[in-house]
Amino acid sequence: MSDLIFEERKDQIHRKGEGPFKLACNRDSLAGAVSQRACVFCGSRVVLYPIADALHLVHGPIGCAAYTWDIRGALSSGPELHRLSFSTDLQETDVIFGGEKKLYAALVELIDRHQPKAAFVYSTCIVGIIGDDLQAVCKKVSAEKGIPVIPVQSEGFKGNKREGYLAACKAMFTLMGTGDTSDIGPLSLNILGDFNLAGEIWIIREYFERMGITVVANITGDGRVGDIARAHGAALNVVQCSGSTMDLAKMMKEKYGTPFVKVSYFGIEDMAEALYSVARFFKDKDPGILVRTQELVKDELAVLYPKLQAFRKDLEGKKAAIYVGGAFKAFSLIKAFRHLGMSVVIAGSQTGTEEDYEELASICDPGTIIVDDANPLELSAFLKEKDVDIFVGGVKERPIAYKLGVGFCDHNHERKEALEGFVGMYNFALEVHRTVMSPVWKFVPRRTGKILAVEEADLPKECTL
Amino acid sequence: MAKAKAPAENFVSTTNACKLCKPLGATLVFKGIEGGVPFLHGSQGCATYMRRYIISHFREPMDIASSSLGEKQAIYGGGANLKKGLLTVMDKYGAGLIGVATTCLTETIGDDVPGILGEFRREFADLELAPVVNVSTPSYSGSHMEGFTAAVKAVVEQLAQAGEPNDSVGCFPGFVSCADIRHLKDVFASFGIDATILPDYSETLDGPALDDYEKLPSGGTPVASIRALGGAKASFEFGATLPPVGEAGTAAGLLAARFGVPAHRMGLPIGLRASDEFFKALEAVACAPTPRRHALERGRLLDAFVDGHKYISQKRCVIYGEEDLIVGLTSFMAEIGVIPVLVAGGGRSGRLKAAVEAACEGLLPEMPEVREGVDFYDIADRARELAPDFFIGHSKGYRLAREMNVPLIRVGFPIHDRFGGHRLHHLCYLGAQELFDRVVNAMIEKKQTDSDIGYGYI
């Protein structure tokens, strides 16, 4: 590549076609490089956050809880306990003498006040350092209050977001096996790795229900403790966002024998394939299911296709960049952009694995920049180099795009638009169209050069001083 | 107003905090220095969370570097990562200054940051190193505002030098909007005063559309100007709940104690009375009368007070947020005839009640209930009893205002459910005018919305 921004990171960037594919990943972020990554705590909080009838208590100083207060778009059809931000707000004396007493008192107080079905207690960096015995406190409160009180080992410094996902899966797994499964039928599944952003899980559930399948537990969007407790009774786990919940699916397979399929609900092919893979799984139990699923997909596409064609007329040939949390999402996005006649020229993630990046590279066009754990300097340089029309990412990526005069699509946990399912593909196309086709880009410096004279030489010729 | 009842229960847990953590305030200060890069010494998550939180308000890039500590460093110390990170930032960003703030992690593992920085300077003495300022901001003690104040003080303490007396004037406005900083610059300039405003993120966090990504956004307080503050003619410091000037706990106090720079300490100039105090002090420093344009702004403000007073007279409001800000807002509400029924802050300066009472003296028949160290559970609890006509504070009060079906006038940080929060004016006559118009219009709109008829002529 032209000039490396961080020499130390050169093996975390690859241009497809330039040499055999090899990308270093899952490595600690370079100190001082302004990584876009978060921490272990963030990973746990993201996954468990939407369990709406549980108490989520952050044991630590105020920031960790304050910065995660109701920032996500995860909806609930009932209780909304997840939208509150609970903290032990540790103070200096707690750090010196230990925070266990405060944690105990806070838990008792909050459980009495809200009567949750379970409580998750997140440990933060500092708790790991001062060594509070979360297990013991949780066990004691659990016995006293008669609800599961589950410690989540999510000290921020103990790795990156992925470790947080694992901690969350372990925490959820302790709930499983405790609920009554006797009324669960053979055509049943759990939805894993969907967070019900803007009600997306309701779209997906409706598809499954139209296919004749019962959804036992949503994990974790619109999640309920009681459902998770009996999730082991379902016949199948359907895993989206495999980075976050694959660990749980594997644990369930090992202990309960629950098989799983890996899916994505973004874009046309992936959404249809998600439904077909579930239908194939159940076809012996219900021979009519394949036909019903085909009908469903056909009906949805009949509505969607003409609309997409209209967008495509405008978007054909435009270029997109993708930088997301998990690499898996990038696969679907690349395919979705192709439906709009667009190409993806930059693809990266915060926490992709070797496997993820290999798959990513295999579906990318030659010349695509593939990057792990990027930062604003790299991202802005790539956006400029590739002269993209739209960037897909989250809050931290948005100002980078906008500052440079590039369109943007929010595709993260904070979004308030449903992008999953067939209707989600329409919403995605609509959002892409709105941003890419906005007239504002005609005026930005990237397209027009300098707007105002900054030096005398730039002044209009007829100018008389 | 409701009679004072038994103080609310002292809850152990915090629900929906009305404050943020200490290092966040420090990062904003460092972002307001020319060429400044904020650097958090801790694990990666802190920097990332704060970045995304700050971006949601300013809608601007906010690069915060991190020493990205992992488990190994948490055990053996983060010094090596800190040094490595500093070199990376100097090299790749070409930083003019790096502001290092500690986090709860590095405070607790006991990293001696000044010591590490000393080693760093010795080890790399052959390189041209950018100045590094450090501030201790353990997030388990105090709120983001204390981090902000501590960082302003640390910058002055570590950069200002004794030197020839000069014509500059220091101004430490506290955490105000980008538009407020720009207005303050105008005000000082119109008096002919050469002011060094610290911090000044009015450009770095509200910059123009660009052709290229600026590693270091232009703008910010020049380091040379900060160095020259040792010889400044005077300093202005806003904040009614800050430690007294004599204690040298703030930038102005330190300049006074160390270099004999006279300090003008006052509350944030929000509203007519507080702005008058500021302009009087400006007149004294400049030895000149208030320029006509500000006198006219004052006159128009007063005229608006008269024209609008009946729409808002006796309306009851709940004010919450950062302590210094809410003191200013409370006295402003009091002077326009709104009754503040609850003034609630998440900080614990111990000075909020006295500051509110001093700022409202002579304006209210009865002082409002003042609570510090509260969260939104407390605020909601009390607000439901007090039944205010509106709330005034940042976005985090939205759910409560919605539940109670009353307007929320958005002021402060964060404002992430409206556009342009950082471009709102609050200070001086101009800011009071904009705030006043917003309050009056909120009441008119509420009246219209609630009306069966929908009068279009009010």
Side-chain angles (χ1 to χ4, degrees):
Chain A
M1 61 181 290
S2 47
D3 50 336
L4 281 165
I5 295 172
F6 296 97
E7 184 64 32
E8 299 89 333
R9 291 186 24 78
K10 68 178 175 199
D11 54 353
Q12 284 172 279
I13 299 163
H14 179 84
R15 278 154 197 264
K16 190 173 170 184
E18 291 181 8
F21 180 76
K22 184 104 183 83
L23 197 73
C25 56
N26 223 0
R27 180 195 274 177
D28 284 349
S29 297
L30 173 66
V34 192
S35 164
Q36 305 294 90
R37 271 184 186 170
C39 58
V40 182
F41 166 72
C42 174
S44 303
R45 192 82 177 93
V46 168
V47 173
L48 298 174
Y49 177 88
I51 302 176
D53 57 353
L55 182 89
H56 299 270
L57 174 61
V58 181
H59 186 34
I62 202 65
C64 307
Y67 305 132
T68 52
W69 171 19
D70 202 20
I71 59 172
R72 303 192 179 277
L75 301 186
S76 165
S77 55
E80 298 211 319
L81 208 44
H82 67 303
R83 295 187 59 198
L84 302 179
S85 163
F86 302 111
S87 167
T88 48
D89 188 9
L90 288 183
Q91 298 296 309
E92 203 149 11
T93 46
D94 306 314
V95 174
I96 298 165
F97 299 109
E100 289 173 20
K101 267 191 198 150
K102 192 170 193 183
L103 173 60
Y104 171 80
L107 267 174
V108 168
E109 177 178 277
L110 290 170
I111 291 170
D112 287 348
R113 189 189 292 164
H114 295 287
Q115 304 292 319
K117 294 284 192 282
F120 292 100
V121 181
Y122 302 77
S123 60
T124 54
C125 284
I126 193 165
V127 170
I129 298 295
I130 63 176
D132 279 357
D133 189 348
L134 240 59
Q135 298 271 1
V137 177
C138 289
K139 205 170 153 193
K140 185 172 171 203
V141 178
S142 182
E144 285 177 21
K145 297 293 171 188
I147 59 163
V149 180
I150 305 159
V152 185
Q153 296 298 333
S154 52
E155 293 86 347
F157 59 84
K158 285 192 172 163
N160 65 31
K161 225 165 159 181
R162 298 188 71 86
E163 269 70 31
Y165 297 153
L166 179 61
C169 288
K170 283 181 180 164
M172 275 190 287
F173 195 58
T174 65
L175 279 175
M176 272 173 206
T178 56
D180 177 23
T181 59
S182 56
D183 64 337
I184 299 176
L187 262 64
S188 59
L189 56 77
N190 301 313
I191 297 177
L192 268 64
D194 193 292
F195 303 98
N196 202 35
L197 307 173
E200 286 173 336
I201 220 168
W202 300 329
I203 298 169
I204 306 304
R205 273 185 79 121
E206 197 234 3
Y207 294 155
F208 288 137
E209 277 154 19
R210 275 159 73 186
M211 288 161 61
I213 297 165
T214 309
V215 178
V216 178
N218 303 329
I219 300 174
T220 55
D222 198 14
R224 298 292 182 276
V225 172
D227 293 341
I228 297 171
R230 59 192 219 113
H232 61 292
L236 177 69
N237 278 332
V238 184
V239 187
Q240 205 205 197
C241 187
S242 55
S244 64
T245 47
M246 189 48 97
D247 289 320
L248 182 65
K250 285 178 181 161
M251 289 177 214
M252 288 177 72
K253 179 150 175 50
E254 195 170 309
K255 182 157 177 189
Y256 303 108
T258 318
F260 60 81
V261 290
K262 215 168 130 176
V263 301
S264 163
Y265 306 128
F266 294 114
I268 296 171
E269 297 97 331
D270 287 354
M271 183 64 242
E273 178 51 29
L275 299 179
Y276 289 140
S277 64
V278 170
R280 283 195 298 272
F281 179 85
F282 287 114
K283 70 178 190 306
D284 297 336
K285 292 179 185 160
D286 178 356
I289 196 166
L290 275 174
V291 176
R292 283 202 304 279
T293 308
Q294 275 158 2
E295 292 288 314
L296 188 163
V297 173
K298 209 174 105 194
D299 290 351
E300 293 288 334
L301 288 185
V303 180
L304 176 64
Y305 255 130
K307 293 182 182 170
L308 289 188
Q309 290 316 308
F311 291 126
R312 189 177 170 128
K313 258 188 255 156
D314 290 334
L315 296 173
E316 192 87 51
K318 306 274 185 193
K319 288 180 281 182
I322 298 169
Y323 189 77
V324 284
F328 204 68
K329 198 155 73 184
F331 309 154
S332 300
L333 281 167
I334 291 173
K335 293 182 220 165
F337 274 120
R338 282 185 187 147
H339 274 287
L340 298 174
M342 298 172 66
S343 61
V344 171
V345 290
I346 302 164
S349 86
Q350 294 170 22
T351 58
T353 62
E354 223 167 296
E355 228 182 336
D356 293 337
Y357 286 123
E358 262 160 35
E359 192 172 339
L360 190 61
S362 73
I363 62 168
C364 282
D365 296 330
T368 304
I369 300 174
I370 299 166
V371 58
D372 176 59
D373 186 20
N375 50 71
L377 298 188
E378 289 171 0
L379 291 172
S380 56
F382 297 157
L383 292 180
K384 280 197 62 131
E385 180 196 319
K386 294 287 187 184
D387 193 22
V388 306
D389 297 285
I390 185 174
F391 187 14
V392 185
V395 186
K396 297 183 300 292
E397 288 78 35
R398 193 196 304 140
I400 300 173
Y402 283 173
K403 199 43 103 184
L404 295 176
V406 170
F408 191 79
C409 169
D410 288 273
H411 207 310
N412 66 344
H413 273 259
E414 297 177 30
R415 68 176 189 269
K416 309 294 185 291
E417 305 291 335
L419 300 178
E420 289 182 2
F422 299 104
V423 65
M425 178 66 198
Y426 171 73
N427 294 340
F428 174 71
L430 184 68
E431 189 174 338
V432 171
H433 189 265
R434 277 190 182 148
T435 185
V436 170
M437 300 312 292
S438 169
V440 299
W441 312 125
K442 293 188 199 304
F443 307 106
V444 298
R446 185 167 71 102
R447 293 283 179 236
T448 62
K450 293 183 194 102
I451 290 177
L452 300 175
V454 289
E455 282 165 27
E456 223 169 284
D458 299 332
L459 285 169
K461 296 287 173 286
E462 62 273 24
C463 167
T464 45
L465 279 171
Chain B
M1 91 174 247
K3 286 287 155 220
K5 43 173 260 168
E9 266 180 85
N10 198 10
F11 300 117
V12 177
S13 59
T14 294
T15 302
N16 301 341
C18 187
K19 61 176 177 181
L20 300 161
C21 78
K22 214 167 174 179
L24 180 132
T27 66
L28 288 162
V29 172
F30 297 137
K31 189 72 182 172
I33 296 174
E34 194 174 70
V37 176
F39 189 116
L40 284 180
H41 185 35
S43 56
Q44 180 60 50
C46 302
T48 308
Y49 269 130
M50 288 178 218
R51 284 178 66 202
R52 71 149 297 289
Y53 209 81
I54 293 168
I55 287 170
S56 76
H57 176 89
F58 291 95
R59 298 172 195 258
E60 286 285 294
M62 175 71 182
D63 291 0
I64 302 176
S66 168
S67 47
S68 305
L69 301 189
E71 193 157 18
K72 211 167 82 189
Q73 292 85 27
I75 297 167
Y76 298 108
N81 272 46
L82 175 55
K83 292 178 195 170
K84 163 110 185 124
L86 288 174
L87 282 180
T88 305
V89 173
M90 286 181 195
D91 183 26
K92 300 302 175 189
Y93 276 79
L97 174 135
I98 301 177
V100 178
T102 52
T103 60
C104 60
L105 174 64
T106 47
E107 285 285 334
T108 312
I109 63 175
D111 267 3
D112 168 19
V113 172
I116 297 168
L117 293 180
E119 284 171 27
F120 175 77
R121 288 189 191 104
R122 284 191 295 279
E123 277 171 43
F124 300 101
D126 53 325
L127 301 177
E128 209 173 301
L129 299 175
V132 180
V133 169
N134 75 287
V135 60
S136 163
T137 44
S139 23
Y140 43 75
S141 106
S143 72
H144 63 299
M145 286 316 297
E146 277 148 296
F148 190 100
T149 308
V152 175
K153 184 192 154 195
V155 168
V156 170
E157 191 168 28
Q158 293 166 46
L159 294 180
Q161 293 165 346
E164 289 295 299
N166 56 55
D167 260 350
S168 75
V169 164
C171 178
F172 313 111
F175 188 10
V176 296
S177 77
C178 295
D180 282 331
I181 296 177
R182 288 192 286 266
H183 184 54
L184 280 176
K185 285 190 201 173
D186 279 352
V187 169
F188 279 111
S190 67
F191 272 94
I193 297 173
D194 170 22
T196 297
I197 297 178
L198 177 73
D200 175 6
Y201 40 75
S202 66
E203 237 182 289
T204 57
L205 283 175
D206 194 13
L210 294 169
D211 183 34
D212 206 349
Y213 190 81
E214 280 185 321
K215 297 175 189 176
L216 303 169
S218 56
T221 321
V223 172
S225 304
I226 303 171
R227 292 203 200 278
L229 283 176
K233 205 157 62 165
S235 75
F236 288 88
E237 188 167 63
F238 301 154
T241 66
L242 299 174
V245 170
E247 290 175 13
T250 63
L254 186 108
L255 283 179
R258 194 180 281 179
F259 306 109
V261 177
H264 294 274
R265 166 68 72 72
M266 57 194 73
L268 284 161
I270 296 179
L272 187 81
R273 205 159 78 166
S275 299
D276 280 348
E277 190 189 342
F278 177 44
F279 276 80
K280 215 169 277 175
L282 285 168
E283 289 181 344
V285 169
C287 279
T290 295
R292 180 172 148 81
R293 55 179 276 217
H294 300 303
L296 281 175
E297 275 168 356
R298 185 185 191 281
R300 279 193 292 269
L301 176 64
L302 205 47
D303 190 55
F305 278 9
V306 174
D307 294 342
H309 78 279
K310 268 205 278 179
Y311 295 108
I312 52 172
S313 184
Q314 319 271 316
K315 296 283 183 194
R316 294 147 51 84
C317 76
V318 167
I319 303 171
Y320 61 84
E322 289 140 15
E323 290 180 286
D324 289 328
L325 178 65
I326 61 180
V327 173
L329 290 173
T330 306
S331 71
F332 178 45
M333 290 302 127
E335 70 188 22
I336 60 175
V338 170
I339 303 168
V341 289
L342 173 66
V343 181
R348 291 176 194 270
S349 68
R351 288 180 282 268
L352 182 62
K353 190 165 187 287
V356 166
E357 289 176 359
C360 296
E361 205 196 326
L363 293 170
L364 292 170
E366 204 176 339
M367 284 297 162
E369 183 177 325
V370 177
R371 300 271 311 274
E372 60 171 59
V374 294
D375 58 19
F376 273 93
Y377 189 82
D378 300 314
I379 295 173
D381 213 27
R382 197 68 189 106
R384 286 187 198 108
E385 293 174 66
L386 293 167
D389 295 294
F390 67 94
F391 288 88
I392 183 161
H394 51 73
S395 288
K396 289 302 185 187
Y398 172 65
R399 279 183 84 181
L400 178 59
R402 178 185 162 108
E403 173 201 311
M404 295 183 63
N405 191 28
V406 295
L408 164 63
I409 295 167
R410 286 168 181 80
V411 160
F413 175 90
I415 296 178
H416 44 211
D417 64 338
R418 282 295 181 275
F419 191 70
H422 59 310
R423 281 187 287 269
L424 295 173
H425 284 106
H426 312 82
L427 302 189
C428 304
Y429 305 118
L430 176 89
Q433 183 69 71
E434 289 186 11
L435 268 180
F436 183 77
D437 294 346
R438 290 172 72 203
V439 174
V440 172
N441 284 330
M443 291 301 98
I444 290 176
E445 191 179 342
K446 172 76 176 151
K447 192 170 176 164
Q448 261 178 331
T449 310
D450 289 351
S451 138
D452 294 333
I453 307 277
Y455 295 104
Y457 184 91
I458 286 186

